[in-house]
């Protein structure tokens, strides 16, 4: 059985993901493939080597100034560099993923996929250490060549457009993969994962927010609405895949019952669009309550998210 895990975006809500991963590792789970978007992209390489100690340290102890630097709003608009600088975040990533840790990641044999979006062609780009042969019209796959390119991909996946500066890799502008794949589950399906764990940082439920919205609040709420919708569509795609796979499996079984040989019955559907060849064992882990806007980065609140994530496994 080939196992995969998809780690959604969510900024500081990645603390929930870390807590859930603590519980999954305690449960004895291992993963052949890991796909991450935004905060999930930061977590993915460290999860490949089960480096949970630095993940818990980062997500349980940082504050906003440790991640983002403030800019005057007008400066970000005029220069096109975003409202926040991400220099502090890059420093954390570079200090955490040392050259020796990078070698451990590459030696782990775990396939890692970091989701970004290239603004030049509006295409999702998965950066990977895998020599996967899967292809799709829905995304492109690039192989990172060294530690620097992997870190560039992580930073690109973490940078929300407008709020944060575009990240350039080989002179091409990249931004947060959550624009297209908030939950990067498609790459796992296409690479034949039999069991997929999906960790989402959104509840998928409606809720009431009673505060009065200023301009920046409205922008953050807009991003939240967009992210929630993309997340639900990503999850629905996996569920739709399973529905189609079950329907084909049932059709094959009925043909066999009517006397058609198994290989002939299976062959009838082998060219079915979408290649729904197996039913995926899908486990979805998500919070039961809202976790915030994702950019607060309050260490006490993030410690609570870690605990909530741990408790949410097997609920």
């Amino acid at each position: 059985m080939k196992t995969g895990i998809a780690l959604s975006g969510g900024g500081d809500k990645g603390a929930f993901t870390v807590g859930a991963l603590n519980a999954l590792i305690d449960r004895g789970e291992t993963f052949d493939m890991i796909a991450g978007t935004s905060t999930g992209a930061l977590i993915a390489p460290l999860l490949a080597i089960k480096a949970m100690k630095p993940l818990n340290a980062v997500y349980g102890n940082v504050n906003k100034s440790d991640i983002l630097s403030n800019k005057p709003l007008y400066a970000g608009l005029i220069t096109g560099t975003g409202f926040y600088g991400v220099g502090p975040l890059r420093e954390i990533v570079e200090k955490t993923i040392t050259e020796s840790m990078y070698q451990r990641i590459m030696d782990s044999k775990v396939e890692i996929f970091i989701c970004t979006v290239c603004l030049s062609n509006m295409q999702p780009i998965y950066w990977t250490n895998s020599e996967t042969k899967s292809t799709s019209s829905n995304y492109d796959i690039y192989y990172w060549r060294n530690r620097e390119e992997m870190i560039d991909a992580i930073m690109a996946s973490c940078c929300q457009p407008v709020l944060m500066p575009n990240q350039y890799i080989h002179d091409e502008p990249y931004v947060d993969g959550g624009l297209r794949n908030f939950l990067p589950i498609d790459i796992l399906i296409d690479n034949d994962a039999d069991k997929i764990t999906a960790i989402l940082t959104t509840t998928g439920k409606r809720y009431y927010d009673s505060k009065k919205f200023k301009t920046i609040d409205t922008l953050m709420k807009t991003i939240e609405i967009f992210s929630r919708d993309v997340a639900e569509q990503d999850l629905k795609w996996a569920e739709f895949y399973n529905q189609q796979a079950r329907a084909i499996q049932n059709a094959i079984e009925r043909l066999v019952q009517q006397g058609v040989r198994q290989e002939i019955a299976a062959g009838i559907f082998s060219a079915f669009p979408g290649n729904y060849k197996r039913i995926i064992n899908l486990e979805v882990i998500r919070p039961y309550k809202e976790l915030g806007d994702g950019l607060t980065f309050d260490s006490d609140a993030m410690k609570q998210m870690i605990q909530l994530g741990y408790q949410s496994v097997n609920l």
Side-chain angles (χ1 to χ4, degrees):
M1 178 177 288
K2 196 171 185 180
T3 61
I5 185 166
L7 311 176
S8 82
D12 63 11
K13 293 182 282 190
F16 173 88
T17 300
V18 170
L21 292 173
N22 289 337
L24 291 172
I25 289 174
D26 286 350
R27 198 170 75 181
E29 297 283 349
T30 59
F31 305 101
D32 302 307
M33 297 181 290
I34 304 169
T37 292
S38 193
T39 191
L42 175 59
I43 296 169
L46 298 176
L47 175 60
I49 56 174
K50 295 185 178 180
M52 299 309 297
K53 185 174 181 179
L55 280 174
N56 280 280
V58 169
Y59 281 89
N61 295 288
V62 297
N63 288 298
K64 193 167 186 175
S65 61
D66 300 317
I67 302 296
L68 303 170
S69 57
N70 289 317
K71 297 179 182 179
L73 293 183
Y74 68 86
L77 288 172
I78 293 173
T79 63
T81 57
F83 297 159
Y84 298 106
V86 293
L89 174 60
R90 178 176 282 273
E91 185 176 346
I92 287 178
V93 175
E94 290 180 343
K95 284 184 177 180
T96 302
I97 304 178
T98 61
E99 187 63 44
S100 61
M101 183 171 283
Y102 173 74
Q103 291 304 318
R104 287 175 56 201
I105 291 167
M106 296 300 289
D107 292 340
S108 69
K109 308 301 183 183
V110 176
E111 297 176 276
I112 304 167
F113 300 95
I114 293 173
C115 187
T116 63
V117 170
C118 180
L119 290 180
S120 296
N121 61 8
M122 298 182 289
Q123 184 83 336
I125 307 293
Y126 280 107
W127 293 83
T128 184
N129 63 339
S130 168
E131 296 181 1
T132 174
K133 303 300 182 184
S134 71
T135 58
S136 173
S137 60
N138 297 322
Y139 54 77
D140 293 329
I141 299 176
Y142 294 166
Y143 185 89
W144 69 65
R145 297 174 296 180
N146 49 48
R147 170 178 171 266
E148 289 70 27
E149 280 191 2
M150 185 188 76
I151 290 177
D152 285 344
I154 292 171
M155 290 300 303
S157 189
C158 288
C159 284
Q160 292 183 345
V162 180
L163 288 179
M164 302 169 196
N166 301 339
Q167 300 295 299
Y168 285 82
I169 307 176
H170 306 309
D171 295 325
E172 295 289 347
Y174 289 86
V175 294
D176 189 346
L179 284 179
R180 298 292 300 275
N181 294 89
F182 190 80
L183 179 69
I185 202 168
D186 55 349
I187 190 75
L188 303 179
I189 294 173
D190 292 345
N191 279 279
D192 300 329
D194 300 292
K195 181 181 185 298
I196 297 177
T197 303
I199 303 181
L200 285 151
T201 56
T202 59
T203 64
K205 302 174 183 177
R206 292 190 298 173
Y207 72 99
Y208 183 76
D209 195 335
S210 60
K211 70 181 179 183
K212 294 183 178 179
F213 295 97
K214 298 178 181 178
T215 301
I216 190 66
D217 296 324
T218 301
L219 175 59
M220 295 303 299
K221 184 59 67 173
T222 301
I223 293 172
E224 180 184 357
I225 292 169
F226 177 81
S227 298
R228 285 162 61 94
D229 286 349
V230 174
E232 294 310 307
Q233 290 303 314
D234 292 337
L235 187 58
K236 285 179 181 177
W237 160 239
E239 293 169 343
F240 174 79
Y241 181 98
N242 269 351
Q243 290 172 0
Q244 297 304 305
R246 287 191 185 96
I248 291 173
Q249 188 177 84
N250 291 336
I252 291 173
E253 290 174 357
R254 287 197 297 269
L255 287 172
V256 171
Q257 290 170 2
Q258 295 298 319
V260 179
R261 283 170 29 201
Q262 175 73 33
E263 60 271 22
I264 295 176
I268 292 173
F269 296 95
S270 62
F272 191 84
N275 196 20
Y276 303 99
K277 57 188 177 182
R278 71 202 183 282
I279 297 173
I280 298 167
N281 181 353
L282 179 64
E283 178 182 13
V284 179
I285 300 168
R286 64 194 317 174
Y288 66 85
K289 64 179 182 179
E290 294 299 324
L291 302 178
D293 63 17
L295 287 181
T296 302
F297 292 100
D298 177 85
S299 59
D300 291 335
M302 291 170 73
K303 285 185 176 72
Q304 293 176 11
M305 290 184 211
I306 291 175
Q307 294 175 357
L308 179 62
Y310 194 96
Q311 296 164 358
S312 296
V313 174
N314 290 330
L315 283 183

